[in-house]
Amino acid sequence: MVQAGEDPIPAGRAPGGTGPASFRERFLQGEPVETGVRTSILDSWRRCQALGLSPDQSDLPFREDFEPDGRIVRAAVPVLDRLQSLFAGSAMNISVADASGTVLLRRFGEASLAGVLPAIQTAPGFVFAEKVAGTNGIGLALAERQPIRVYGAEHFAERSQGSACRALPVRDPLSGRIEGVLCFGYPRSAEDPALDTVIRRAADSIERRLLGQSSSRERALLQAYLDSGAESAAGPRHRIGVRELAVEMSPRDRAILMEKAAELIACAQRACVDVSLSDGRRVTLVSRPMTSASGVQGFAVEAVVPGPSPREPLALPRQVHEPLGLTAGLAVATSLTFSGAVRDVAPGQLHVTPPAEYLPGTEHGPVALGVEGVTADGTTDEHSDSQPPARGLMMVGEPHVGTYALAARRRLELLSEAGVRIGTTLDVRSTARELAESAVPQLADFVTVDLPGAVLRGEESADPRSDLRRTVVHGIHDDCPFHPVGKQVDYGPTMPQSRCLTSGQAVLEPDLKAAAGWFAQDPEHSAQLLSHVHSLIAVPLVARGAVLGVANFYRAQDSPPFGDDDRSLAQELAARAALSIDNARRYTRERAMVLALQRSLLPHGVPDQDAVEVAHRYLPAESDVGGDWYDVIPLSGSRIGLFVGDVVGHGMLSAATMGRLRTAARSFAELDFPPDEVLTHLDKLVGRLDREDPGAVDAGTIGATCLYAIYDPTTQQCTMARAAHPPPALVRPDGTVWFPDLPAGPPLGLGGLPFEAAELDLPENSQLVLYTDGLIEDRHRDVDVVLDQLRTTLAQANGTPDETCEAILDTVAPAHPCDDIALLVARTHALDPQRIATWDLPADPALVSEVRASATRQLTDWGLDEAAFAAELVLSELVTNAIRHGAGPIRVRLLHDRTLICEVSDTSNTAPHLRRAAGTDEGGRGLFLVAQLTQSWGTRYTQQGKVIWAECGLEGA
């Protein structure tokens, strides 16, 4: 193992299918990779994949517009020359790129290495940015903005699998801006952790040379500090370099130290501050005045690191309070870093022994330090038992320059951070909270956001002052008596919030006690607030000319009051947040409209029937609404039709297409077509809709999947057909779960290909589970794993269909669905055989009377004497028509369900049609009589012929 940063990384291709190589292969094959790969590497791989980069890509872009003699080049050339001499004879290659990833300089430990590379990569100008070259040292250092290491299979490109690299951003010490990247590349076998020290020292040297290109005033202050030093004040064993101290620090700790140093310079007084690091260590920063030979006045800040004495902590005579309302960042004052020489390096080797670092001390102690081992003048007490503290220069600079520049930088950093943090979601409330979290504690101690109820619903507010709702309350602690979230907030006309909403400009009240109208609205509550806060900036949230609400920035009693700069900063923050809130509002409105359309087109209830017990769920996607749908359709003969489908795409078009498709599917089903024929008709319809779509350039922009099942409770058989839809799950009464291997069929709209139906036996109390692909398909999960979860859930769910739906959504559905989910669970029932009567007879008119008599006796046994008269007439007409116009044999069947169903089947495909008989016609009135005596009637075709059926109501029976 080797160590890079804080994460251990496997060094090479580990046996047994593990290690970086196997994780990379799994990632490229689309498998989930959540552990085993560093977060920065995995994030980089995902960015590369999102950009469509190929691992096999070998060509890199070349720029001709780079600056061949820029600041970074002038600063880096001597350093790279020394490094080339240091690594002479080794397989090391050293590169310096600018802030865009364009390589400007390259050196090789062995000259022959240049011949291995493509010719374009040996000349300045080729680009190694992550977006074009994939995961690599230069690109990732720029993306992460911190030191990185990429080893072997962590590279995205195949060409780099055998190499390793370390890269470090090089910053301008004055501005803190990244000027470029220093990168060491070497074979994997030449890995050496000591390279961390070498590359940091080399980067320090480049940054120092960049410092040499700074202003003469800043260099004069630096020289004054060096000239005033008394190195003998502390022995070599007590000296420390700031960069050495920062090697083991987190980026946040380093930023805090630099920030505190800049604040000390801006204070323009002799002072010190004790800084606690995240690992428990403490560093004391001490500032003292100084004047250069040319009269430039400034301050120097030194870092004092206490020795390991456990007896007494570092005591400080005076603390500089941390300024409120300012964000952390690099100071504008000059940052001084030190580098040591590298020695003991034989040709071809990479073994490094960093020397002790030279550090100038000081002869003028900044303040009296109560530290064991250190006297009041900063010298070492040789009689002390503890190791004295080490001391090193952190920063020098001019107070007035540092104050304004530091404030400007903090302002820019806060705006930059807010640009990243605000608007990460398309939710109005979340965006308002992001505004508050971005401002606390950098700008304000407390932030409240009030939005009209209409905006929260996604609508436009006619008068934002009439219905303001407290949306966010956020602060440094929770005991401030603000109105709670959800409460309606009313501001009087003289309140600062009302004035800002009226004028459209931020209103600054440095002292709320003197604010006009502050006590007018609610004196008691206003007085309670004044015990916690004392300064306010009220800013209207205005986007695209519309007022969306108000943001209130407060400072606590122990914080300085707001000023004009704070007001402009708060207004800028609010303006950025308002655009994101308006985008979220518009999205909320559009999504609500599509969702309302989607729900209006879905079934609003389940029809009354006894064939199945049904439960259903529809779960829209988080990002957008799609075209998933389901339906339950009663059919003739007590049968039931079950639909589930999915229209390709999301949004209004998909929802509208879904509505048209569901209406057509119901119409085809009620015509008693078998499942495969229903899908054939739907396929033609989708193809026609596709051709009629004015926005479709090519065919195929509209598509859908569908599954249609018909269950017959008299035979307990289920006939299914699907069009590229996931197969259903079937649960037998004993709890056995299986996924039938139904013919897949093509998607709807493809055209020209047939659909095939399959018949399955479903015993009573079986469960049929139909679903759309949003339930099982997710980019973070494997489909087979999800199907196993579904199988386990269904095997354990022995409750009602409604409970089964809940169990599936709780255990199988993704937590954040990216696609709609339609779910339909049906538990089958069987019609009691005692409620079915069947007679087979030849095509003989003389047998009609016998059928009427048998039917009358059966109805008497069922207790349906009231329905006997109508049933006799209906059967007489239907049997007579079958004998005269059909073909034998003839079957008569009575079903006693919610209605009395009379069925007469024969082997002919000729169907009767209802018509109005003329006054001179002797026949043609039989079907008219049937239609008057029954609730409904119709014809369905079977493989053996047809069935004429009629349903008689049982209300009076």
Side-chain angles (χ1 to χ4, degrees):
M1 300 288 287
V2 293
Q3 192 76 13
E6 297 179 354
D7 301 321
I9 303 171
R13 301 175 183 266
T18 62
S22 65
F23 288 120
R24 177 176 175 273
E25 292 304 319
R26 285 172 51 192
F27 176 83
L28 294 178
Q29 292 172 7
E31 300 180 16
V33 178
E34 300 299 338
T35 60
V37 181
R38 287 182 294 161
T39 302
S40 59
I41 298 297
L42 185 57
D43 290 343
S44 178
W45 287 354
R46 288 170 176 163
R47 291 192 296 266
C48 296
Q49 192 176 61
L51 290 170
L53 299 182
S54 170
D56 300 322
Q57 179 179 337
S58 58
D59 295 336
L60 294 174
F62 182 81
R63 289 181 51 196
E64 296 182 354
D65 57 345
F66 66 92
E67 189 175 1
D69 192 30
R71 296 182 67 234
I72 186 69
V73 173
R74 297 195 305 272
V77 165
V79 179
L80 262 63
D81 290 341
R82 290 197 298 270
L83 289 173
Q84 184 177 25
S85 176
L86 170 66
F87 293 111
S90 71
M92 175 71 72
N93 71 83
I94 308 127
S95 302
V96 169
D98 63 13
S100 67
T102 303
V103 175
L104 306 177
L105 297 171
R106 197 156 201 178
R107 298 288 190 272
F108 299 95
E110 178 61 51
S112 60
L113 292 176
V116 180
L117 298 174
I120 191 174
Q121 294 189 23
T122 61
F126 67 92
V127 181
F128 253 128
E130 183 187 68
K131 63 181 180 181
V132 295
T135 307
N136 68 89
I138 293 174
L140 191 54
L142 290 173
E144 297 289 332
R145 305 179 67 81
Q146 63 182 347
I148 62 93
R149 174 178 171 276
V150 184
Y151 186 90
E154 291 181 333
H155 289 88
F156 189 76
E158 288 288 346
R159 63 176 180 271
S160 303
Q161 298 299 291
S163 63
C165 64
R166 297 172 188 266
L168 186 67
V170 177
R171 297 178 180 269
D172 185 326
L174 300 182
S175 67
R177 183 181 62 249
I178 291 179
E179 291 288 337
V181 177
L182 174 63
C183 181
F184 286 2
Y186 45 90
R188 292 186 309 164
S189 58
E191 175 59 39
D192 190 334
L195 288 174
D196 279 337
T197 302
V198 178
I199 193 170
R200 288 180 183 276
R201 294 182 186 278
D204 290 346
S205 298
I206 297 175
E207 290 181 350
R208 248 192 354 270
R209 293 183 59 83
L210 287 172
L211 176 63
Q213 302 175 29
S214 60
S215 70
S216 59
R217 295 175 63 88
E218 291 166 331
R219 291 200 303 273
L221 284 176
L222 179 59
Q223 188 61 48
Y225 175 83
L226 297 175
D227 293 342
S228 66
E231 297 87 4
S232 60
R237 63 190 182 95
H238 304 148
R239 298 166 186 160
I240 188 169
V242 175
R243 288 293 184 177
E244 284 295 299
L245 175 66
V247 167
E248 299 179 358
M249 286 185 188
S250 67
R252 179 171 180 80
D253 285 342
R254 289 194 293 269
I256 290 175
L257 276 181
M258 299 296 288
E259 177 72 9
K260 300 300 183 186
E263 290 173 2
L264 286 177
I265 292 176
C267 287
Q269 60 182 349
R270 187 187 297 267
C272 69
V273 62
D274 189 21
V275 182
S276 297
L277 305 183
S278 58
D279 59 2
R281 291 183 296 168
R282 299 165 63 198
V283 177
T284 302
L285 300 182
V286 182
S287 67
R288 64 183 179 88
M290 53 190 301
T291 303
S292 71
S294 59
V296 178
Q297 295 182 345
F299 276 78
V301 177
E302 296 168 315
V304 180
V305 183
S309 172
R311 291 185 295 166
E312 184 178 345
L314 183 66
L316 296 177
R318 182 155 54 109
Q319 288 291 102
V320 177
H321 294 289
E322 180 179 355
L324 296 176
L326 299 175
T327 186
L330 291 176
V332 72
T334 304
S335 172
L336 175 65
T337 59
F338 300 90
S339 66
V342 181
R343 64 189 179 197
D344 300 333
V345 181
Q349 295 181 342
L350 296 179
H351 301 289
V352 180
T353 304
E357 195 162 57
Y358 171 80
L359 175 69
T362 176
E363 61 181 355
H364 303 290
V367 288
L369 296 179
V371 186
E372 278 194 87
V374 182
T375 63
D377 61 355
T379 60
T380 304
D381 181 3
E382 296 184 359
H383 298 288
S384 174
D385 295 333
S386 63
Q387 181 177 342
R391 173 173 292 167
L393 178 65
M394 277 287 294
M395 192 175 295
V396 295
E398 298 179 77
H400 62 282
V401 176
T403 300
Y404 295 123
L406 181 60
R409 178 171 296 111
R410 287 169 171 169
R411 178 190 181 103
L412 291 175
E413 287 172 349
L414 177 57
L415 292 176
S416 176
E417 181 183 357
V420 175
R421 295 183 60 179
I422 299 176
T424 59
T425 68
L426 287 172
D427 180 76
V428 174
R429 290 178 174 84
S430 297
T431 304
R433 172 158 288 276
E434 289 168 347
L435 166 62
E437 292 174 347
S438 298
V440 175
Q442 289 88 341
L443 174 63
D445 296 320
F446 302 95
V447 173
T448 64
V449 180
D450 305 321
L451 301 177
V455 173
L456 295 173
R457 296 189 300 268
E459 304 168 2
E460 293 186 1
S461 177
D463 184 4
R465 292 171 294 183
S466 62
D467 186 26
L468 283 174
R469 301 279 174 175
R470 179 57 47 85
T471 307
V472 173
V473 176
H474 182 67
I476 55 178
H477 50 75
D478 300 329
D479 59 352
C480 199
F482 292 109
H483 290 303
V485 173
K487 180 179 176 60
Q488 184 170 352
V489 182
D490 296 320
Y491 293 115
T494 60
M495 295 285 285
Q497 290 85 352
S498 294
R499 285 185 280 134
C500 84
L501 290 172
T502 302
S503 64
Q505 299 295 322
V507 173
L508 169 63
E509 293 292 352
D511 185 3
L512 286 175
K513 293 181 181 179
W518 174 252
F519 293 95
Q521 182 72 19
D522 189 348
E524 181 179 356
H525 181 257
S526 299
Q528 291 177 354
L529 277 181
L530 282 183
S531 64
H532 294 78
V533 299
H534 73 105
S535 190
L536 164 69
I537 301 176
V539 188
L541 298 171
V542 182
R544 301 179 177 94
V547 179
L548 305 176
V550 60
N552 305 297
F553 301 84
Y554 295 91
R555 279 192 178 166
Q557 292 288 355
D558 55 352
S559 300
F562 287 117
D564 289 334
D565 289 342
D566 298 317
R567 175 173 55 185
S568 61
L569 178 57
Q571 188 152 346
E572 179 66 21
L573 278 176
R576 297 190 180 195
L579 284 175
S580 297
I581 291 175
D582 192 49
N583 290 337
R585 179 194 66 80
R586 291 167 179 256
Y587 171 79
T588 301
R589 180 190 61 188
E590 297 296 330
R591 188 175 189 274
M593 292 173 57
V594 175
L595 189 58
L597 173 62
Q598 170 85 330
R599 293 194 181 280
S600 69
L601 296 175
L602 290 173
H604 295 278
V606 178
D608 294 331
Q609 45 80 37
D610 295 326
V612 291
E613 182 184 354
V614 179
H616 53 81
R617 295 290 188 275
Y618 170 72
L619 187 64
E622 283 192 348
S623 58
D624 207 349
V625 179
D628 291 19
W629 59 282
Y630 59 89
D631 209 346
V632 180
I633 306 171
L635 302 175
S636 64
S638 294
R639 298 171 306 140
I640 196 74
L642 303 173
F643 268 110
V644 67
D646 183 5
V647 176
V648 174
H650 295 84
M652 190 74 73
L653 176 61
S654 295
T657 303
M658 177 275 292
R660 301 170 72 179
L661 194 61
R662 175 179 170 253
T663 301
R666 173 175 281 271
S667 299
F668 295 142
E670 290 179 343
L671 289 175
D672 268 326
F673 290 141
D676 51 340
E677 291 189 25
V678 170
L679 295 184
T680 299
H681 289 295
L682 291 177
D683 179 55
K684 294 178 181 178
L685 172 65
V686 173
R688 184 165 61 252
L689 292 177
D690 196 13
R691 292 189 296 271
E692 293 174 356
D693 181 14
V697 179
D698 300 314
T701 58
I702 298 177
T705 66
C706 183
L707 189 150
Y708 180 37
I710 298 178
Y711 173 70
D712 189 343
T714 64
T715 63
Q716 300 178 40
Q717 283 190 329
C718 184
T719 306
M720 304 182 194
R722 65 184 178 122
H725 199 83
L730 301 178
V731 187
R732 291 191 175 96
D734 60 0
T736 305
V737 182
W738 60 298
F739 298 91
D741 187 16
L742 300 180
L748 298 179
L750 191 61
L753 296 175
F755 298 92
E756 185 177 352
E759 285 192 358
L760 302 172
D761 292 327
L762 291 184
E764 187 174 10
N765 289 324
S766 298
Q767 282 197 100
L768 178 62
V769 181
L770 310 180
Y771 51 88
T772 55
D773 57 3
L775 178 68
I776 61 173
E777 294 183 5
D778 183 71
R779 61 177 176 267
H780 302 300
R781 304 186 299 172
D782 184 81
V783 174
D784 293 334
V785 174
V786 178
L787 289 177
D788 288 340
Q789 292 177 348
L790 178 59
R791 186 191 304 274
T792 302
T793 301
L794 292 176
Q796 298 173 349
N798 52 7
T800 64
D802 195 75
E803 293 171 342
T804 300
C805 284
E806 290 298 324
I808 292 174
L809 293 182
D810 290 342
T811 60
V812 181
H816 304 282
C818 57
D819 194 5
D820 291 16
I821 297 176
L823 178 63
L824 187 67
V825 177
R827 171 167 289 172
T828 63
H829 298 299
L831 187 61
D832 188 348
Q834 300 300 322
R835 288 174 169 257
I836 304 174
T838 304
W839 299 275
D840 293 319
L841 62 152
D844 184 356
L847 298 177
V848 175
S849 60
E850 296 182 11
V851 172
R852 291 201 302 268
S854 298
T856 301
R857 289 192 296 271
Q858 183 63 63
L859 293 177
T860 300
D861 293 341
W862 287 341
L864 302 178
D865 294 317
E866 295 291 337
F869 176 75
E872 282 188 64
L873 292 178
V874 170
L875 282 176
S876 178
E877 178 61 28
L878 296 182
V879 172
T880 301
N881 277 343
I883 293 174
R884 295 179 60 184
H885 303 291
I890 297 172
R891 169 170 287 191
V892 178
R893 188 171 73 159
L894 293 181
L895 303 178
H896 181 195
D897 197 11
R898 290 174 178 262
T899 59
L900 177 63
I901 303 172
C902 305
E903 294 183 348
V904 177
S905 59
D906 61 69
T907 58
S908 170
N909 289 326
T910 303
H913 297 282
L914 181 64
R915 65 182 180 88
R916 182 175 296 278
T920 56
D921 291 341
E922 296 182 1
R925 296 174 177 84
L927 286 181
F928 180 78
L929 180 64
V930 170
Q932 297 300 311
L933 293 174
T934 61
Q935 292 180 349
S936 60
W937 72 279
T939 304
R940 72 172 181 268
Y941 293 93
T942 65
Q943 294 180 350
Q944 295 77 27
K946 69 176 184 296
V947 177
I948 311 294
W949 58 270
E951 291 188 7
C952 301
L954 300 179
E955 290 81 5

